[in-house]
Amino acid sequence: MKKIMSGNEAIARGAYEAGCTVAAAYPGTPSTEILENIANYKEIYSEWSTNEKVATEVACGASIAGARAITTMKHVGLNVAADPLFTIAYEGVNGGLIIVTADDPGMHSSQNEQDNRFYAPHAKVAMVEPSDSQECKDFVKYAYEISEKFDTPILFRTTTRVNHSKGLVEQGERVEVGVRPYTKNNKKYIMTPANSRAKHPEVEERLKKLQEYSNNCPLNRIEWGNKKIGIITSGISYQYSKEVFGDEASFLKIGMSYPLPDKMIREFAATVEELYIVEENDPFIENYVKTLGIKCTGKELIPICGELNPDIISKAILKTEDRKMYDVDVKVPPRPPVLCPGCPHRGIFYAISKYKDIIATSDIGCYTLGMVEPLNIGDTVICMGAGFTAAIGFEKAARMGNRKNKIFGFVGDSTFFHSGITGLIDAVYNNSPIVAVILDNSITAMTGHQENPGTGKTLMGEIAQVIDIEKLVRAIGIKSENLRIVDPYNLPETEAAVKEAYNATEPFVIITKQPCALIKEVQKKRAHMYSFIHQDKCKKCKACIRIGCPAISFKNGQISIDRSMCNGCELCKQVCKFDAIEKVGE
Amino acid sequence: MTKSILFVGVGGQGIILASKILTEGLVRFGYDVKMSEVHGMAQRGGSVTTQVRFGEKVYSPLIGFGEADVVVAFEKVEAPRWISYLKDGGSLVVNDYEIYSMPVLIGKEPYPEDVLEKLEERISKLKIINAAEAAEKLGNIKTQNIVLLGALIKALELENMDWAQVVKDILPEKMQEINIKAIKAGMEI
């Protein structure tokens, strides 16, 4: 039976059918739905780990113990997990081990456009690259076989359009492979210098064997068409190229992209007249083909920046003209992403926006959107955890430069557990008088509401110990006089905490506590609540507009609140000096 | 012959569900289908697009400029924003519904007033739908997305397929009746 599945659903299905028993991940677009779908298969233990490094190590441990294991992450997650990756590459596996990296060409939801294929040669591990949902499922099975046969972890590289596109997938049955026996083996699993020195040549030897396999495996195939044009391609770029050329070109379709199949490449190149390499972002295949001394055309024509599509490829290689396009003479206003109506992050950003000399080091999460007008809170966003740590460095530098800036650093609850804790410890240890704001909305929100150590529930739906952020902050050494826990829907309370924090001379923490407005239970509880404007009292001062709530608009000379969007958070009511806003419902 | 449909609108309007029902339906009716969606940064209020391509054999999930057979704009101003994707002679379905973006709300940008007139000047196969009104008549404003799906199905000339069964297979029971009615209402507008 065939079913329509996203690449992520198909990877989950592949793990299920291949007998995977342990899965761990930290959410990150475009990878998140893999674990969400794996959690539907009760035969697999699955967990949200605190970060990608933790998740990868959990998967490494499970593999050594004998399970077929998988860990999944977005591309930048692999930077966090790079440490275990490079050493498990030496240790190899017991049960098969798959590390999924979901790259984001075009940066639909990411801070950079790194091409993680380079991790494979860097860490010296095998890599596979599916191009559609069917391959996502099939390649998981191949990956486990390669992993166990060659004693290597597998980098399973996808991109947004593979993860988030749906296509038909043939369903199969689960094959129970069980958990292999574990035998203590210090030389294999304890990477001390002496053991590692013995391992490194084995790894080099393994790569040679993998390359031989790559030349003969079903993952790499030649599709002969017109031999005037030959295209070497992988991943989603294969689908785009097929769309453009069909049978009017020959293809070397790469599914195992590290080690690359040198013999196949030579054979293919020798048979076609013009050789093109079509790949998104960096010239990974192209560089290799050139090191073989083969003439080919790639990045001279195919852009490095941004994602590809069939039109880009067609224009680059076939020099085709644009299709006829409509244009309509309307000035379209931009629609940037915004904090939702009723978002609990809005209150503290509004309170801080009153201080014009504040520097705000923000982080990865919904609260990144504090930077959007009219709130405009945000000076830096680097990576998970840097909300606190960049604040430390900024404060130290400002002081060295005789500048007086108060630095507010922001992380969410999930980001705090991910890598905010270490930054806060650093701030206390090195006595950095920053204000560390933990925006606790009791969920990992931006990736679509995943549980985390603060929510009291696991990925598999079991009740979990709630990690108490306040106790943790106190244990790290934040004094009571430097700690405020506020309800961000309560503006005076929030403003008072911001004022104290602004004047503090030691590390200061504000925890805002209010669950995300989009959590189902919260929506249900607040469904009957909304605020409205008494038009007779409204002076149209637009103070309420300046909180940046999408539910409040100024239309036809009148300010109004869209009842269907409003959840009665009352932030607007608290900024109205004329008592013109009333809330309905308790 | 591969057909391409582009859904555009605002986060929270139910675009993903509408495109999911369409996709599942097309699969049942024997087409090869690819569907692509983009998750932006915002849960609500940002631009959302999904792309559906179907035919005998589909490779690319992406639609190029001037390639979409139908563009369905769930919000009015999203129609001119994405119009360059519409194929010459293709159909445009527009929901006569405004959602102001933040630059408009705070008065930095005006919301254009003559969107429909400008579209009418250029697009011959234009269908303007008041999905909110139709959905309210059905008793649930939240079925706007499915009303628009109905209009799209008509534009694709696929109204003879058994969409009621698709809805029954995908949605929970209490949602089925209203959504089947919504598809029908959309087809009849």
Side-chain angles (χ1 to χ4, degrees), chain A residues 11-24 35 37-47 68-70 144 174 176 459-460:
Chain A
I11 292 170
R13 181 74 197 179
Y16 166 76
E17 290 180 12
C20 168
T21 37
V22 176
L35 259 273
N37 280 285
I38 282 183
N40 295 328
Y41 300 114
K42 297 304 164 204
E43 293 83 353
I44 306 176
Y45 165 81
S46 58
E47 69 164 51
R68 283 194 165 179
I70 190 168
Y144 277 127
R174 177 173 170 91
E176 286 296 350
L459 170 60
M460 297 179 83

Side-chain angles (χ1 to χ4, degrees), chain B residues 24 28 162-172 176 180:
Chain B
E24 290 278 356
R28 264 152 238 240
D162 190 358
W163 291 98
Q165 191 56 47
V166 179
V167 169
K168 281 180 192 163
D169 290 347
I170 298 177
L171 295 180
Q176 290 171 6
I180 292 168

Side-chain angles (χ1 to χ4, degrees), chain A residues 89-103:
Chain A
Y90 275 35
E91 297 189 12
V93 305
N94 182 14
L97 174 61
I98 294 177
I99 298 164
V100 178
T101 168
D103 297 4

Side-chain angles (χ1 to χ4, degrees), chain A residues 2 4 29 33 108-109 131-132 160-161 164-168 236 238-240 242-243 246 307-311 323-341 346 365-366 368-369 371-374 445-449 518 523 545 548-555 562 564-565, chain B residues 2 9-10 20 23-24 27 31-47 51 53 57-67 75 77-78 80-81 83-90 97-112 114-115 118-119 122-124 141:
Chain A
K2 280 191 174 181
I4 186 115
T29 313
E33 300 83 5
H108 300 285
S109 193
S131 72
D132 63 11
T160 301
R161 298 295 183 178
H164 283 169
S165 293
K166 293 188 177 187
L168 290 168
I236 195 71
Y238 164 76
Q239 303 291 344
Y240 299 156
K242 279 298 265 194
E243 185 76 37
E307 64 174 347
L308 295 182
N309 60 43
D311 287 352
R323 282 185 212 90
K324 202 173 158 194
M325 272 181 254
Y326 288 102
D327 66 282
V328 175
D329 181 25
V330 173
K331 193 174 175 293
V332 179
R335 194 181 294 281
V338 287
L339 293 171
C340 301
R346 185 170 284 109
C366 292
T368 309
L369 298 173
M371 70 176 178
V372 178
E373 297 272 11
M446 191 162 67
T447 43
H449 287 179
L518 297 187
Q523 279 188 313
I545 296 272
C549 175
I552 308 174
S553 62
F554 184 67
K555 245 185 216 180
D562 184 327
S564 71
M565 287 198 235
Chain B
T2 301
V10 180
K20 186 180 171 185
T23 305
E24 290 278 356
V27 170
Y31 292 104
D32 186 25
V33 186
K34 288 234 168 120
M35 185 261 229
S36 181
E37 56 190 56
V38 159
H39 302 210
M41 276 180 70
Q43 291 287 331
R44 294 281 185 277
S47 234
Q51 320 193 9
R53 305 188 73 230
K57 170 73 189 162
V58 182
Y59 290 105
S60 169
L62 292 189
I63 302 167
F65 292 122
E67 196 182 19
E75 198 275 352
V77 83
E78 295 305 309
R81 191 192 309 282
I83 198 69
S84 53
Y85 283 85
L86 186 65
K87 162 166 134 182
D88 189 21
Y97 188 75
E98 295 177 359
I99 299 174
Y100 284 7
S101 65
M102 194 48 67
V104 176
L105 290 172
I106 62 175
K108 282 211 159 178
E109 297 266 351
Y111 190 97
D114 51 355
V115 175
K118 288 279 167 69
L119 289 170
R122 305 301 291 269
I123 317 287
S124 51
I141 181 84

Side-chain angles (χ1 to χ4, degrees), chain A residues 435-463:
Chain A
V435 182
V437 182
I438 302 165
L439 303 153
D440 181 3
N441 63 355
S442 305
I443 204 84
T444 310
M446 191 162 67
T447 43
H449 287 179
Q450 289 75 36
E451 306 293 342
N452 70 46
T455 65
K457 238 187 183 178
T458 69
L459 170 60
M460 297 179 83
E462 280 154 12
I463 302 297

